[in-house]
Amino acid sequence: MYHDKLEAFPEDFLWGAASAAYQIEGAFDADGKGPSIWDEFTKIPGKTFEGTNGDVAIDHYNRYKEDIRLMSEMGLKAYRFSVSWSRILPDGEGKVNKEGLDFYENLVDELIAYNIEPVLTLYHWDLPLALQEKYKGWESREVIQAFKQYCQVLYGRLGKKVTYWVTFNEQNVFTSMGYRWASHPPNATDTKRLFEANHIINLANAEAIKLFRKMVPKGKIGPSFGYGPVYPLSASPDDVLASENATDFNNSWWLDVYCKGKYPTFTFKQLERKGIAPTIESGDLELLKQAKPDFLGINYYHGGTVAQNKIESKSIESLNDKNFSATDPYLMQPKEEQSQSPEVPMFQSSENPYLNKTEWGWEIDPVGFRVALREVYARYDLPLFVTENGLGAKDMVTDEGTIEDDYRIDYLNQHIMEMKKAVTDGVELIGYCAWSFTDLLSWLNGYKKRYGFVYVDRTEQDEKEMRRIPKKSYHWYKELIADNGENI
Ligand code: BGP
């Protein structure tokens, strides 16, 4: 499809930036907060880069006013953040912690005072530890009830102030990393447990949306999904079929459930044949069907390329000894076997010869962003909200005290250009949140993998003063917002 002239972004387009509680707040035990599974997991030796954790992070809990002032000076229209469940309910259920709720209400009020639209994520991975210990976390249906209580408290307190709500952040990533590759809590390598927990999370997502309809009738709610388009390595029909399998396995497995209320047939059948399909109880499918989201949040970093799988089906146990690419959230494959679905050999991951990579080995693929937006919009017919996109890089402070992150400007510029083409193609888009506003803690890669528009002066070992310094990209994004992406 070719266009003479690209169309403008909608007038009320939400130019924003995103974050997540554990990666910025710090204050891990302040004002009655209970521990989360990440507070525990990051303390296990060898799990994170140089043993980094979010105990202090970038101290946003104490500096949120300064951070929001910087957002307002930039002209930011939306700010996506997540709520830490165990700040609200220290035990995950039961007693509500008033101070935790106050913090988020103050944050939301501050944003609104500056005309910044709050976009609230309910779950960005930090499950209260008490629920993990008491119920085995997402492996038990009891946690659905706890999640409902948590949602109810937040809807009740913030439902009139916050319009945009995200249920789960990247369910595909945190379940795979947590239950398959032991690189997130609960540190497991068991695909049966993965698919069981994932199903329970689907039910929790549906319950949260159902309750939202009752309590926040004017609000908008949807999940944020880590979407990666899948390319076939060649035009060979076998590779094309493999790419369809990979799309089914990596994307539709979640998006069909969110939007159509059912699992994709082929993948479900493969899992059943291997004895690892989730247990569906009576009433589950009816519930899933009742919870269509208002929009789909899309987090885009990169996609993947696959070929026909020529590797024999292996048990997950035999693959557990291998190294895997923890930085590759969508096509998480053991490096040597290069098979995404070892126990269900539907495809095999491959290198894409056309794409460059970041310092952390993530492919840079702006056109893939347009492909992603179009695929999702065509399949599910829902407005899209880009809830994450950005470049992790090692920024340096110059002698003059500036950060000249032209590579980030270049990356964002190319992606926003492709997004503009997608809008011109006809994709309905609510907004775009770059990842991230300030530098923050990368889950597994410490503080040197920086994403922010605002530099935060701290390292893995030295918290320093955590001074905030707007980077060159901060000023670039400010101009872009001011003319609504007209001159990109
Ligand atoms: C997404 C997560 C974010 C963020 C981002 C960058 O998957 O939703 O929380 O961490 O990836 O990832 P990383 O920090 O690993 O570079």
Side-chain angles (χ1 to χ4, degrees):
M1 233 175 270
Y2 299 96
H3 311 289
D4 295 328
K5 188 174 178 331
L6 297 183
E7 285 175 20
F9 287 103
E11 280 283 303
D12 53 356
F13 193 73
L14 293 175
W15 294 104
S19 69
Y22 188 70
Q23 298 178 275
I24 58 168
E25 286 177 2
F28 76 109
D29 62 354
D31 301 336
K33 177 181 172 294
S36 81
I37 52 175
W38 273 91
D39 287 316
E40 184 190 57
F41 181 77
T42 49
K43 312 289 162 43
I44 304 172
K47 286 294 174 188
T48 64
F49 180 70
E50 294 188 3
T52 40
N53 63 56
D55 284 2
V56 177
I58 59 146
D59 197 31
H60 175 76
Y61 187 77
N62 295 306
R63 302 183 197 212
Y64 74 93
K65 287 196 176 168
E66 179 187 351
D67 290 341
I68 294 176
R69 190 174 47 72
L70 282 166
M71 292 176 201
S72 101
E73 284 169 14
M74 190 198 220
L76 210 68
K77 306 257 195 235
Y79 173 55
R80 173 177 176 234
F81 62 95
S82 79
V83 173
S84 155
W85 182 345
S86 60
R87 259 191 219 293
I88 307 298
L89 296 155
D91 298 322
E93 58 184 351
K95 200 179 147 291
V96 175
N97 178 33
K98 182 184 169 307
E99 283 166 292
L101 261 180
D102 288 348
F103 170 70
Y104 292 107
E105 184 156 35
N106 291 338
L107 179 84
V108 165
D109 286 344
E110 191 78 4
L111 290 167
I112 292 171
Y114 284 112
N115 264 321
I116 301 170
E117 184 83 45
V119 180
L120 188 157
T121 305
L122 290 160
Y123 188 83
H124 202 126
W125 305 354
D126 46 354
L127 183 79
L129 184 59
L131 297 178
Q132 189 63 42
E133 288 176 341
K134 193 164 170 203
Y135 300 121
K136 255 188 133 189
W138 291 115
E139 289 168 79
S140 159
R141 288 175 182 240
E142 307 278 352
V143 175
I144 302 174
Q145 295 314 316
F147 187 62
K148 266 179 82 176
Q149 188 203 347
Y150 165 62
C151 291
Q152 188 176 16
V153 172
L154 286 177
Y155 296 162
R157 182 74 174 256
L158 298 174
K160 291 215 166 63
K161 298 187 176 184
V162 176
T163 302
Y164 290 98
W165 297 71
V166 171
T167 51
F168 285 90
N169 179 70
E170 295 186 353
Q171 191 180 329
N172 53 330
V173 174
F174 80 81
T175 52
S176 305
M177 301 287 258
Y179 292 93
R180 185 176 199 168
W181 301 120
S183 52
H184 278 195
N187 203 13
T189 51
D190 184 328
T191 39
K192 177 72 182 149
R193 286 174 64 189
L194 188 168
F195 292 115
E196 293 292 2
N198 184 65
H199 179 63
I200 289 172
I201 298 164
N202 284 331
L203 299 174
N205 180 70
E207 290 283 14
I209 294 179
K210 260 182 81 177
L211 185 64
F212 189 80
R213 299 283 172 242
K214 278 199 212 128
M215 294 186 67
V216 195
K218 293 196 180 127
K220 308 260 181 223
I221 193 163
S224 276
F225 186 73
Y227 192 86
V230 186
Y231 305 134
L233 182 63
S234 77
S236 124
D238 284 328
D239 287 352
V240 172
L241 187 62
S243 77
E244 290 189 4
N245 286 340
T247 297
D248 219 46
F249 191 86
N250 283 342
N251 295 321
S252 316
W253 180 253
W254 286 273
L255 292 178
D256 278 14
V257 175
Y258 295 146
C259 303
K260 301 180 182 170
K262 60 177 189 145
Y263 286 100
T265 308
F266 305 144
T267 296
F268 197 90
K269 187 156 183 204
Q270 294 285 331
L271 299 185
E272 255 183 337
R273 284 161 60 107
K274 294 283 170 184
I276 53 176
T279 311
I280 314 271
E281 292 185 3
S282 84
D284 287 0
L285 296 176
E286 291 70 19
L287 171 63
L288 294 178
K289 281 215 186 302
Q290 288 165 27
K292 199 171 172 180
D294 298 300
F295 65 88
L296 276 176
I298 295 297
N299 294 356
Y300 176 78
Y301 292 91
H302 59 83
T305 301
V306 302
Q308 178 190 15
N309 195 338
K310 301 199 176 101
I311 300 170
E312 288 283 291
S313 176
K314 302 235 173 182
S315 72
I316 187 76
E317 287 74 24
S318 69
L319 287 160
N320 282 340
D321 307 334
K322 311 284 183 215
N323 290 328
F324 65 91
S325 162
T327 55
D328 196 357
Y330 310 130
L331 292 168
M332 289 159 286
Q333 73 273 40
K335 270 180 192 149
E336 291 164 43
E337 305 289 334
Q338 291 288 296
S339 171
Q340 158 64 15
S341 53
E343 54 301 85
V344 187
M346 295 159 73
F347 57 91
Q348 180 180 336
S349 298
S350 302
E351 288 282 318
N352 187 320
Y354 299 98
L355 299 173
N356 293 325
K357 292 181 175 168
T358 71
E359 283 179 85
W360 276 268
W362 292 19
E363 285 170 350
I364 301 175
D365 182 13
V367 176
F369 188 26
R370 182 181 179 190
V371 174
L373 295 171
R374 287 173 44 144
E375 280 181 357
V376 177
Y377 190 65
R379 269 196 196 122
Y380 302 106
D381 224 1
L382 283 172
L384 306 183
F385 196 155
V386 178
T387 38
E388 282 181 36
N389 170 237
L391 174 72
K394 292 179 191 148
D395 298 327
M396 305 306 282
V397 183
T398 64
D399 293 345
E400 290 72 44
T402 61
I403 298 96
E404 307 290 321
D405 56 343
D406 294 281
Y407 38 88
R408 180 169 294 107
I409 295 174
D410 190 43
Y411 178 100
L412 294 173
N413 194 79
Q414 287 185 48
H415 283 77
I416 292 171
M417 177 59 96
E418 293 302 321
M419 180 168 75
K420 200 171 188 184
K421 290 181 190 167
V423 166
T424 308
D425 293 337
V427 172
E428 193 182 343
L429 266 188
I430 298 167
Y432 171 88
C433 288
W435 183 266
S436 51
F437 183 68
T438 54
D439 290 340
L440 40 71
L441 172 68
S442 168
W443 300 96
L444 304 178
N445 297 292
Y447 290 95
K448 70 154 66 74
K449 189 178 188 186
R450 296 173 181 274
Y451 280 90
F453 291 118
V454 176
Y455 186 89
V456 176
D457 190 21
R458 70 154 294 169
T459 64
E460 275 69 19
Q461 310 310 342
D462 188 355
E463 287 163 18
K464 301 200 226 171
E465 302 282 305
M466 290 194 254
R467 194 155 70 84
R468 275 57 170 157
I469 313 172
K471 303 178 191 175
K472 189 172 176 184
S473 57
Y474 175 97
H475 302 286
W476 168 83
Y477 199 48
K478 178 177 180 166
E479 276 181 33
L480 182 138
I481 296 172
D483 72 11
N484 199 26
E486 192 55 37
N487 293 314
I488 186 131

